């Protein structure tokens, strides 16, 4: 295992990364300061000359700050988007505010897909048992349903925000202009699983219920292309997300990171999901945020190490999620005792006060705490 001299990543990163003094993610980040971004934008504009009959592009959203930024850029580029969202059933009141406000503020057409909750919960149970992951069923849908919509409605483009393989680990250069692909989806969004490995012989699910969980066949995909804006705009999430307040975005305070923008509005992302990430890959989400800030020069490596240590001891809620999933009281205790062995100290309620370095703090806003968690609008009936 080799560690990067500059950031907090090592060669065990789940996306795969190489280290030669500094890591491939840090090296690719440096491109941002020499790229002629005006030229990159012109290249994007020339690709987007092709227009659709009704909509020019699908914009898949979860309703967080990055989606606001993406949509503002899409409209600035003169495109007519169709916003597509998959209900993950994990939104709190802030999450619902943000997604409704996104659609009304920008006055765009939208589709929300509410998957069959019985099947969805079955898949989550299987994913939790097999992979210690509760978001895989959602991520599987989020990365395939919008592609189906583009295909079915002859919409020529999907516009995504950041390409994680470029931004986090630098697997490709910005100049490669990497586009969406089935391979990249499996490799980076779904951690090498897909719906077939997910169900295996575990979940008792009718195959017909899984259509939208599957990526469309390449041969039938035609000329639909998925582009990542981070290849064409100088990507700086904290700065960008800070600017979305003017659109009415509400940031959410969380105990596990200083980042109040990414996945704000989720009842699980910085709670149970974050603990499972620690169990699976050995670190929590805050490390990704800190690495990003080191690269943007807003925090030193030493400060980042000390912040990571503090945030990594913050407690998370596990019981609310397991109750939502339908576990019994004794089932929950069994799960904690057997499957979260060694992490018991991180389960529960606690508030921590952490001082944030100035350069980061000035890009943060006053964030709120959610009033209600797990609000199930759509097919919110538990069966
Ligand atoms: Zn690095």
């Amino acid at each position: 295992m080799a560690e990067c001299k500059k950031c907090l990543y090592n060669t065990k990163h789940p996306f795969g990364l190489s280290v030669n003094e500094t890591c491939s993610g840090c090296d690719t980040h440096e491109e941002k300061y020499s790229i002629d971004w005006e030229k990159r934008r012109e290249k994007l504009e020339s690709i987007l000359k092709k227009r659709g009959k009704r909509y020019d592009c699908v914009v898949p959203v979860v309703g967080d700050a990055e989606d606001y930024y993406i949509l503002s850029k899409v409209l600035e580029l003169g495109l007519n988007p169709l916003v597509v969202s998959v209900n993950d059933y994990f939104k709190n009141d802030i999450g619902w505010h943000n997604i409704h406000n996104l659609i009304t503020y920008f006055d765009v057409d939208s589709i929300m897909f509410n998957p069959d909750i019985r099947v969805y919960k079955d898949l989550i149970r299987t994913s939790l048992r097999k992979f210690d992951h509760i978001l895989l069923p959602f991520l599987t849908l989020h990365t395939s349903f919008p592609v189906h919509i583009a295909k079915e409605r002859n919409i020529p483009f999907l516009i995504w925000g950041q390409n994680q393989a470029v931004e986090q680990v630098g697997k490709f250069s910005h100049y490669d202009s990497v586009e969406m692909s089935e391979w990249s989806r499996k490799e980076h969004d779904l951690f090498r699983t897909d719906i077939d490995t997910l169900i295996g012989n575990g979940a008792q699910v009718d195959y017909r219920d899984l259509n939208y969980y599957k990526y469309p066949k390449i041969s039938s995909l035609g000329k639909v292309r998925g582009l990542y804006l981070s290849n064409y705009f100088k990507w700086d999430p904290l700065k960008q997300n800070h600017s979305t307040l003017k659109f009415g975005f509400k940031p959410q305070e969380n105990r596990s990171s200083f980042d109040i923008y990414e996945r704000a509005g989720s009842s699980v992302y910085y709670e149970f999901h974050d603990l499972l990430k620690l169990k699976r890959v050995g670190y929590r989400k805050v490390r990704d945020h800190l690495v990003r800030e080191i690269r943007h020069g807003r925090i030193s490596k030493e400060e980042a190490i000390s912040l990571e240590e503090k945030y990594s001891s913050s407690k998370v809620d596990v019981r609310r999620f397991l109750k939502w999933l339908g576990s019994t009281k004794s089932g929950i205790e069994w799960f904690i005792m057997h499957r979260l062995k060694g992490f018991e100290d991180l389960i529960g309620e606690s508030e921590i006060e952490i001082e944030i370095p100035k350069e980061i703090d000035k890009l943060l806003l006053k964030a709120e705490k959610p009033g209600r968690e797990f609000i199930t609008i759509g097919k919110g009936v538990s069966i």
Side-chain angles (χ1 to χ4, degrees):
M1 184 184 81
E3 268 177 48
C4 174
K5 248 173 79 177
K6 191 178 165 188
C7 74
L8 308 176
Y9 286 153
N10 56 48
T11 39
K12 280 177 18 199
H13 192 292
F15 290 167
L17 144 164
S18 60
V19 173
N20 182 9
E21 297 237 324
T22 49
C23 72
S24 44
C26 286
D27 296 343
T28 302
H29 179 87
E30 286 306 305
E31 287 181 0
K32 291 191 186 191
Y33 306 104
S34 58
I35 288 174
D36 182 341
W37 290 105
E38 204 39 55
K39 271 219 171 84
R40 296 294 299 162
R41 186 194 168 112
E42 283 165 18
K43 184 181 158 98
L44 176 65
E45 283 172 339
S46 75
I47 298 171
L48 292 170
K49 272 206 176 97
K50 184 177 173 185
R51 293 296 164 98
K53 275 207 178 82
R54 175 72 186 90
Y55 301 106
D56 303 314
C57 60
V58 163
V59 178
V61 303
V62 294
D64 70 0
E66 181 160 297
D67 295 330
Y68 278 73
Y69 184 75
I70 295 166
L71 212 49
S72 72
K73 286 289 159 202
V74 162
L75 296 174
E76 203 182 292
L77 288 160
L79 302 171
N80 181 24
L82 175 63
V83 165
V84 176
S85 178
V86 171
N87 190 353
D88 61 6
Y89 300 109
F90 294 143
K91 284 186 180 46
N92 56 34
D93 52 341
I94 294 176
W96 283 112
H97 162 85
N98 282 335
I99 197 145
H100 286 142
N101 181 66
L102 175 83
I103 294 158
T104 45
Y105 179 87
F106 291 106
D107 194 16
V108 286
D109 288 357
S110 66
I111 292 179
M112 176 166 282
F113 179 52
N114 299 298
D116 182 321
I117 198 159
R118 186 190 55 83
V119 174
Y120 181 70
K121 283 189 176 180
D122 250 1
L123 292 173
I124 292 178
R125 276 185 209 101
T126 309
S127 172
L128 179 58
R129 192 173 65 240
K130 285 169 87 169
F131 305 111
D132 280 321
H133 207 311
I134 56 171
L135 290 184
L136 273 179
F138 165 70
L139 292 172
T140 306
L141 274 177
H142 174 66
T143 50
S144 73
F145 180 73
V147 186
H148 281 280
I149 292 295
K151 194 194 100 180
E152 287 166 9
R153 300 185 177 214
N154 287 319
I155 302 172
F157 296 103
L158 284 102
I159 306 282
W160 302 89
Q162 60 177 300
N163 183 308
Q164 296 193 82
V166 178
E167 297 302 306
Q168 255 192 47
V169 294
K171 212 180 254 192
F172 311 98
S173 155
H174 294 88
Y175 292 108
D176 293 332
S177 312
V178 173
E179 295 188 7
M180 172 190 79
S181 70
E182 189 175 11
W183 169 80
S184 179
R185 168 182 181 257
K186 191 168 172 176
E187 188 78 11
H188 307 114
D189 297 312
L190 306 180
F191 307 97
R192 295 181 198 104
T193 63
D194 55 23
I195 192 63
D196 294 317
T197 34
L198 182 59
I199 51 172
N201 51 13
Q204 303 297 312
V205 179
D206 185 332
Y207 232 64
R208 278 178 311 179
D209 291 332
L210 301 176
N211 281 348
Y212 282 131
Y213 286 87
K214 287 175 182 280
Y215 202 74
K217 282 208 168 56
I218 298 290
S219 55
S220 68
L221 205 48
K223 293 194 171 66
V224 176
R225 290 169 73 179
L227 309 176
Y228 296 92
L229 288 185
S230 61
N231 287 326
Y232 303 97
F233 292 96
K234 189 178 174 186
W235 213 250
D236 184 346
L238 202 64
K239 224 180 196 167
Q240 291 162 195
N241 293 344
H242 177 254
S243 75
T244 62
L245 182 72
K246 61 177 179 281
F247 305 130
F249 171 80
K250 270 193 196 170
Q252 186 199 323
E253 198 181 304
N254 77 73
R255 294 179 287 180
S256 305
S257 175
F258 57 89
D259 192 318
I260 52 176
Y261 306 110
E262 186 176 0
R263 298 294 176 124
S266 169
S267 301
V268 295
Y269 199 79
Y270 295 99
E271 300 286 337
F272 193 25
H273 172 67
D274 206 35
L275 183 63
L276 290 175
K277 180 175 169 115
L278 175 67
K279 187 181 173 196
R280 283 195 321 272
V281 302
Y283 59 87
R284 291 173 68 170
K285 186 66 195 172
V286 70
R287 179 177 292 184
D288 296 331
H289 294 151
L290 289 165
V291 164
R292 188 187 70 200
E293 297 313 307
I294 291 174
R295 291 175 182 164
H296 281 101
R298 287 188 280 260
I299 186 173
S300 70
K301 185 172 179 174
E302 290 66 39
E303 285 173 306
I305 290 171
S306 129
L307 270 190
E308 184 180 25
E309 211 179 284
K310 288 179 187 150
Y311 276 113
S312 296
S313 63
S314 78
K315 298 198 180 205
V316 300
D317 173 69
V318 167
R319 290 182 173 86
R320 261 197 309 249
F321 165 80
L322 290 170
K323 226 173 120 190
W324 172 88
L325 194 59
S327 311
T328 58
K329 217 170 163 218
S330 57
I332 293 172
E333 298 317 315
W334 182 93
F335 187 88
I336 292 171
M337 197 192 291
H338 295 277
R339 296 293 299 265
L340 298 175
K341 213 180 172 134
F343 298 99
E344 295 92 341
D345 288 352
L346 295 176
I347 299 168
E349 300 285 336
S350 71
E351 295 295 329
I352 42 167
E353 280 289 325
I354 294 175
E355 206 179 316
I356 314 288
K358 218 170 62 228
E359 288 303 302
I360 292 179
D361 197 46
K362 66 186 186 195
L363 291 174
L364 301 180
L365 301 159
K366 191 163 168 23
E368 293 177 31
K369 282 184 188 163
R372 280 182 63 199
E373 307 273 4
F374 295 100
I375 298 176
T376 38
I377 294 172
K379 287 178 196 154
V381 188
S382 323
I383 300 165

